[in-house]
Structure formats: structure tokens, C-alpha cells
Amino acid sequence: MEREIPDMKIYTYPDAVLKTTAEPIKNIDEDLQKIIDQMFKTMYLAPGIGLAANQVGILRRVIVFDGSPGEEEPFPHVLINPEIVAGEGSIKWDEACLSVPDYTADVVRKSRVQVKGLDRHGNPLDLEAEDLLAVCLQHEIDHLDGILFVDRISSLKRALYKKKLKKKNKGDH
Ligand code: NI
């Protein structure tokens, strides 16, 4: 019987699911294909350039991202059990996240990374990325380890963000 995966909800900070390490994927089955398709749909609708399973409440190691962020044509990519195997250089990027609404901050990351993982059919995939794509991959893989970009900014900036969030939740602008 077909199992429908309902529309995905994007969880936002400080939800615990975003702080939790996702589990490696052992079975690449029909269910996972549906999750991946829904994640693409959710990411492009948002719109975003990357989405990790934690963000939609699924604690499995899978990310989707656009392989040519900023270009008009969508270039959907998926990585299962992604790992950063090498990195070099440094880049500062004003990052945003679908799970951290209405906030951006400069984060320093590697400017070039080599990532390995599996494609949606379970074939090994090696990827080299630089600049925005490298930033995106590091950001999404962080999600799978329960790390948000706000965990990578100064504690002062983070405190200011939390204050802003508190105010917003009170409906006080
Ligand atoms: Ni994010």
C-alpha cells in the first residue's frame, strides 16, 4: 500500500529536533524516495538553497540542495549520509536558514570542501564545492549534527538574536 508522506513542516529554532544528531541511513527504500521528493518540494517552495532532514522533523542523514545556487534553473541534488572529507581556505558568508527566520549573520567556513556520500539510488558520490555551494554543504551537514549557524556566531550576537526572538514571540515589535 502506498504510504503518503504529508506536507512537511519546517521546524524553527529553538525546536529540539534541530539540536539532535540525525541517524545514518541504512536502507534506501521507497519511503526515503518520498521523503527526498517532499524535501525538494519544500526547499524550492520556501524558497531555500538547501534543506536537511532535521529541519522537517526527520532525524535521518539526508540533505537536499541546489547545485547551482543563485542560478535561475533549478539543479536539485541530494546527498545521503554526507561527510566532509577535506576542506581548505576560509570564506565569510552572510548566512540565513529556513529554521532561523528573519535573521542572517556572518559565518566563517571553509571556502572549498570535498564531500562524499550516496546519491538517492545508493551510488557513492564525490563532490567538490567552493564558495556559496561549499557554504551551503557545510551548513546543511551541520544540521545533521544538530548544529545551526547561530551556534557558529559569537555569544554576544547569539544573545542579541535570542532577545530579538523573544520580543517577536511576544508580538512586540
Ligand atoms: Ni539551515
Side-chain angles (χ1 to χ4, degrees), residues 50-52 55 95-100 139-140 143 147-149:
L51 189 71
Q55 293 182 271
E95 291 192 26
C97 178
L98 296 173
S99 295
V100 185
H139 175 122
E140 300 313 328
H143 273 302
I147 299 165
L148 295 173
F149 82 91

Side-chain angles (χ1 to χ4, degrees), residues 69-126:
E71 303 281 317
E72 214 161 287
E73 278 296 300
F75 191 22
H77 274 340
V78 56
L79 267 178
I80 294 166
N81 299 337
E83 260 178 77
I84 294 167
V85 289
E88 60 176 28
S90 143
I91 186 171
K92 194 200 271 180
W93 201 277
D94 187 31
E95 291 192 26
C97 178
L98 296 173
S99 295
V100 185
D102 306 321
Y103 186 70
T104 68
D106 281 344
V107 180
V108 178
R109 298 194 188 262
K110 301 278 185 225
S111 58
R112 289 173 65 90
V113 289
Q114 207 183 321
V115 177
K116 68 167 193 180
L118 303 172
D119 71 10
R120 66 185 300 165
H121 307 293
N123 303 310
L125 208 67
D126 274 294

Side-chain angles (χ1 to χ4, degrees), residues 58-72:
I58 297 169
L59 289 169
R60 302 176 74 185
R61 299 188 80 84
V62 57
I63 61 170
V64 296
F65 56 98
D66 194 277
S68 49
E71 303 281 317
E72 214 161 287

